[in-house]
Amino acid sequence: MIKSMKNLTLFERCLWGGSVLALILVFSMGTNRDWWTLAASLIGVTALIFVAKGFVLGQVMTVVFSFFYGRISFHFRYYGEMLTYLCMTSPIALATVFEWLRHPYKKSAEVEVKNMTKKQVAVMLFFSIVVTVVFYFILKALGNANLLFSTISVTTSFLASYM
């Protein structure tokens, strides 16, 4: 992780540090002392900066984040979030680790970028519709809190994971 941090620009390190500081400040000012949430937030913000840079470590951290977030989501009865992260985001991030390790960009810590074809975009949109419909009924049967927003969240998470 230290090597990956050194590969960030000064701006990126400041952005990450400011995000971490903001999370800790908001957590310390609140009345809810759910340490799982703080840990998940810190892992998540760190994973995001590494994923944005195309570093494999970001995907590894996304797998870890998924388990933390899945536990939190279960506690608050956000079953869509839980299922999305444990059954979709985590396995896709794990598969991405292996893909990224196989396709480095010029022997660096970054990944090679690939553009999607029109056919791949069509397949992605088709499956996002299928996932949306299926998860709507699953979440409804589970008595998910905020059904509409959870369904939309599943769809956007699917699209993000697919890409």
Side-chain angles (χ1 to χ4, degrees):
M1 184 160 141
I2 293 171
K3 183 179 176 184
S4 293
M5 278 295 189
K6 287 181 180 180
N7 286 331
L8 297 177
T9 66
L10 177 61
F11 172 77
E12 291 162 344
R13 283 191 293 255
C14 290
L15 178 64
W16 173 79
S19 299
V20 167
L21 182 61
L23 287 169
I24 292 170
L25 284 173
V26 168
F27 180 79
S28 65
M29 292 185 320
T31 57
N32 183 358
R33 292 286 188 251
D34 182 10
W35 294 96
W36 284 91
T37 302
L38 177 61
S41 299
L42 294 172
I43 293 167
V45 75
T46 305
L48 283 174
I49 196 110
F50 290 146
V51 168
K53 286 293 286 188
F55 296 165
V56 174
L57 178 60
Q59 294 294 347
V60 172
M61 294 183 82
T62 299
V63 173
V64 174
F65 170 79
S66 295
F67 288 103
F68 275 77
Y69 195 69
R71 184 239 179 240
I72 294 164
S73 299
F74 178 77
H75 175 75
F76 288 104
R77 293 185 38 224
Y78 284 108
Y79 302 122
E81 298 291 311
M82 180 191 73
L83 290 171
T84 299
Y85 277 87
L86 295 179
C87 300
M88 186 175 57
T89 302
S90 181
I92 290 173
L94 187 59
T96 302
V97 167
F98 296 108
E99 280 299 309
W100 283 18
L101 288 172
R102 288 180 35 207
H103 298 96
Y105 177 71
K106 296 183 181 178
K107 308 278 184 200
S108 72
E110 298 175 12
V111 68
E112 179 182 41
V113 176
K114 181 181 176 188
N115 293 323
M116 291 177 68
T117 65
K118 290 179 183 179
K119 182 179 177 182
Q120 289 171 325
V121 171
V123 168
M124 177 185 69
L125 293 175
F126 170 76
F127 281 115
S128 68
I129 292 168
V130 171
V131 165
T132 301
V133 171
V134 169
F135 267 85
Y136 173 83
F137 290 106
I138 290 171
L139 299 176
K140 187 174 181 181
L142 291 172
N144 192 81
N146 295 314
L147 181 60
L148 177 64
F149 291 112
S150 289
T151 304
I152 292 169
S153 178
V154 167
T155 304
T156 57
S157 294
F158 174 82
L159 289 168
S161 295
Y162 190 96
M163 287 189 253

